[in-house]
């Protein structure tokens, strides 16, 4: 029996109590992958809190399976239904709802680890809340760091939290930088992008939500799937990388790698390039962050080099995928532009998924939002939320106009 296995076996009988984990966005794709990894390590981890926005039955079923002390439903009108379902199941789980409930889950005493896996800027407050409480914060909710990068990092520092990225690219870069004494020797970060379902597409006019959500390599929530199809996901990730690792736009490159085997790379001044490879399965970065600095089993399929197809790399096409260029522009313009980029993208994607806007209008909405005069950079989380709300109001008008024009 190897060293880690021996230690795990010892913990099972005599070791410390398992570490509590709160999962914000437990009914989503990242939530499911996290619960899968945790279930493989009952001696090391236990579920302390679970949250969802609307899916009462799914959340209740997860509570029956994982027995958290706290369950939170984002939509307050569903709190009674969740409470009734848990009482019916005979669970003593505490039930809360709304933003206060999400904040309670993020700061829950029984959880040393918080997985931030809510989609969109809706995850900002609980993510910052977890940082302020000094949690080990496993960040999937990229929109939170895109909207409030410096405020989130401040909260991590002042709260004594540890921030570990779950996004596969940033998790890969974290691994590649692990042995670097400082970032001074880094020449550039290279984020890989699969290129999404429309990598070879020339005519986007008839693209449907179903096609946009059918990602070739990853099974994900609908919003991030559309972001992958427009390459906005990579744009948000460039901004995320800039905050997480402290590099300017000029030192962050994007390269299309359709096989999604190389999850990202770091090029150093001496010419060395370190890459992290693996099958495309979010359980790998989740297990890395849960176990860090140890390595724990993730359940993901191993890479088989002898059966692997060729690994290929291409330049991203900013003409066919303008959203990536818009994100570069926002990063260079400063923090307010990133909030506007994110808010207008969230609303445009929602309108596309509701078939109110064509796929190509997503970039048009964001371009128009970014061309409006920007308020000053936010100095507090409240100011981030104000800029976000204003950007959403403006994007709604643009979407209504484009939707009416399209219907004519
Ligand atoms: P998803 O749509 O599958 O799940 C989203 C979760 O957030 C659900 O549990 C939902 O109930 C909850 N939620 C939605 N709106 C909410 C609101 N307003 N308030 C509170 N909770 C709300 O999404 P996902 O694919 O799991 O992605 C989650 C986050 O992780 C996103 O920010 C995404 O960009 C990021 N991410 C996902 C993947 C992936 O493979 N799925 C990879 C990298 C990063
Ligand atoms: Mg990613």
């Amino acid at each position: 029996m190897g060293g880690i296995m021996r230690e795990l076996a010892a913990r099972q009988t005599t070791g410390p109590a398992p570490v509590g984990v709160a999962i914000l966005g437990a009914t989503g794709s990242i939530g499911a992958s996290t619960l899968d990894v945790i279930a493989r390590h009952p001696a090391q981890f236990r579920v302390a809190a679970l949250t969802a926005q609307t899916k009462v039955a799914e959340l209740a079923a997860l509570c029956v399976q994982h027995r958290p002390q706290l369950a939170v439903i984002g939509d307050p009108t569903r709190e009674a239904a969740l409470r009734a379902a848990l009482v019916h199941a005979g669970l003593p789980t505490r039930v809360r709802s709304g933003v206060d409930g999400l904040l309670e889950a993020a700061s829950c005493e029984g959880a040393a680890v918080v997985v931030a896996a809510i989609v969109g800027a809706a995850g900002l407050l609980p993510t910052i809340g977890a940082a302020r409480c000094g949690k080990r914060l496993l960040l999937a909710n990229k929109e939170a760091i895109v909207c409030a990068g410096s405020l989130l990092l401040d909260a991590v520092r002042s709260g004594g939290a540890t921030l570990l990225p779950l996004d596969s690219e940033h998790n890969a870069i974290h691994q590649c930088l692990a042995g670097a004494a400082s970032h001074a020797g880094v020449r550039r970060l290279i984020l890989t992008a699969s290129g999404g379902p429309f990598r070879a597409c020339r005519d986007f006019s008839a693209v449907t939500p179903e096609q946009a959500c059918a990602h070739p390599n990853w099974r994900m929530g609908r919003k991030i799937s559309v972001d992958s199809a427009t390459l906005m996901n990579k744009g948000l990730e460039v901004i995320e990388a800039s905050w997480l690792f402290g590099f300017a736009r000029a030192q962050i490159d994007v390269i299309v790698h359709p096989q999604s085997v190389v999850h990202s790379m770091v090029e150093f001044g001496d010419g060395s390039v370190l890459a992290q490879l693996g099958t495309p399965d979010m359980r790998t970065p989740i297990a890395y962050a849960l176990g860090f600095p140890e390595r724990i089993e993730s359940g993901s399929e191993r890479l088989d080099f002898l059966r692997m197809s060729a690994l290929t790399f291409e330049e991203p096409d900013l003409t066919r995928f303008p959203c990536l260029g818009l994100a570069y522009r926002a990063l260079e313009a400063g923090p307010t532009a990133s909030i506007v980029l994110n808010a207008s993208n969230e609303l445009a994607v929602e309108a596309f998924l509701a078939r109110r806007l064509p796929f190509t209008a997503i970039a048009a909405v964001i371009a128009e939002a970014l061309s409006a005069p920007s308020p000053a950079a936010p100095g507090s989380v409240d100011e981030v939320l104000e800029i976000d709300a204003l950007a959403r109001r403006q994007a709604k008008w643009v979407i209504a106009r484009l939707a009416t024009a399209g219907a004519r």
Side-chain angles (χ1 to χ4, degrees):
M1 199 160 36
I4 291 181
M5 293 309 291
R6 229 185 346 262
E7 190 185 314
L8 285 180
R11 275 194 198 195
Q12 221 144 11
T13 48
T14 58
V19 171
V21 183
I23 304 175
L24 314 179
T27 50
S29 151
I30 292 288
S33 296
T34 305
L35 287 167
D36 182 281
V37 177
I38 288 177
R40 291 167 193 277
H41 304 280
Q44 271 181 291
F45 303 105
R46 68 177 174 82
V47 175
L50 295 175
T51 87
Q53 177 61 4
T54 52
K55 294 183 175 161
V56 168
E58 281 186 30
L59 181 57
L62 292 178
C63 290
V64 169
Q65 203 182 340
H66 299 281
R67 304 194 152 257
Q69 63 211 58
L70 174 65
V72 179
I73 191 85
D75 175 0
T77 66
R78 297 176 198 234
E79 182 178 332
L82 178 62
R83 183 164 289 119
L86 296 186
V87 167
H88 183 72
L91 291 181
T93 312
R94 226 167 49 245
V95 174
R96 296 284 184 270
S97 68
V99 176
D100 288 347
L102 295 172
L103 284 169
E104 193 173 327
S107 59
C108 164
E109 244 184 56
V113 177
V114 174
V115 179
I118 290 174
V119 58
L124 175 60
L125 284 176
T127 300
I128 292 211
R132 286 182 179 148
C133 290
K135 306 292 189 189
R136 173 184 282 220
L137 177 56
L138 274 46
L139 182 73
N141 180 206
K142 64 192 81 184
E143 296 90 350
I145 193 162
V146 164
C147 289
S150 72
L151 295 163
L152 176 60
L153 297 183
D154 284 350
V156 166
R157 265 188 301 271
S158 65
T162 306
L163 181 59
L164 288 163
L166 292 188
D167 217 343
S168 57
E169 297 75 5
H170 308 77
N171 191 275
I173 289 168
H174 191 275
Q175 298 192 40
C176 296
L177 287 173
S182 81
H183 290 183
V186 174
R187 189 176 288 156
R188 61 183 178 133
L189 309 181
I190 306 163
L191 298 188
T192 52
S194 69
F198 307 134
R199 184 173 58 86
C201 181
R202 300 268 144 203
D203 177 7
F204 296 90
S205 57
V207 160
T208 65
E210 290 71 27
Q211 290 167 332
C213 289
H215 196 280
N217 305 341
W218 301 93
R219 297 276 78 78
M220 310 180 286
R222 279 159 68 80
K223 192 266 180 183
I224 183 177
S225 295
V226 176
D227 285 348
S228 299
T230 60
L231 286 202
M232 176 53 89
N233 183 50
K234 213 47 52 181
L236 297 174
E237 289 182 355
V238 169
I239 302 174
E240 180 183 10
S242 150
W243 285 115
L244 280 174
F245 305 110
F247 290 101
R249 157 77 194 99
Q251 274 182 290
I252 307 173
D253 284 342
V254 170
I255 191 159
V256 174
H257 165 50
Q259 297 80 21
S260 297
V261 166
V262 176
H263 297 307
S264 276
M265 303 180 260
V266 177
E267 183 185 313
F268 294 88
D270 59 9
S272 295
V273 177
L274 296 189
Q276 185 259 348
L277 282 68
T279 53
D281 186 329
M282 288 307 291
R283 290 177 300 175
T284 297
I286 290 167
Y288 171 82
L290 276 172
F292 186 80
E294 304 290 340
R295 296 277 181 168
I296 62 171
E297 173 60 41
S298 67
S300 60
E301 199 188 320
R302 311 284 102 169
L303 257 192
D304 183 342
F305 284 93
L306 299 179
R307 287 178 46 214
M308 202 156 63
S309 60
L311 301 183
T312 60
F313 301 92
E314 313 160 8
E315 187 81 31
D317 182 341
L318 296 189
T319 311
R320 285 187 304 129
F321 298 99
C323 284
L324 181 56
L326 291 168
Y328 289 160
R329 221 174 89 194
L331 175 56
E332 278 159 0
T336 304
S338 294
I339 305 171
V340 173
L341 175 92
N342 180 68
S344 54
N345 179 58
E346 282 194 31
L347 290 200
V349 168
E350 206 178 282
F352 165 67
L353 284 171
R355 297 176 209 278
R356 291 182 58 223
L357 277 187
F359 185 76
T360 45
I362 296 174
V365 170
I366 301 161
E368 190 162 335
L370 283 177
S371 65
S374 259
S380 67
V381 178
D382 282 347
E383 284 175 17
V384 171
L385 296 176
E386 272 169 35
I387 297 168
D388 174 79
L390 179 67
R392 278 167 203 264
R393 277 202 296 281
Q394 287 171 343
K396 262 189 196 152
W397 296 328
V398 179
I399 289 168
R401 201 186 70 233
L402 293 179
T404 319
R408 262 196 226 114

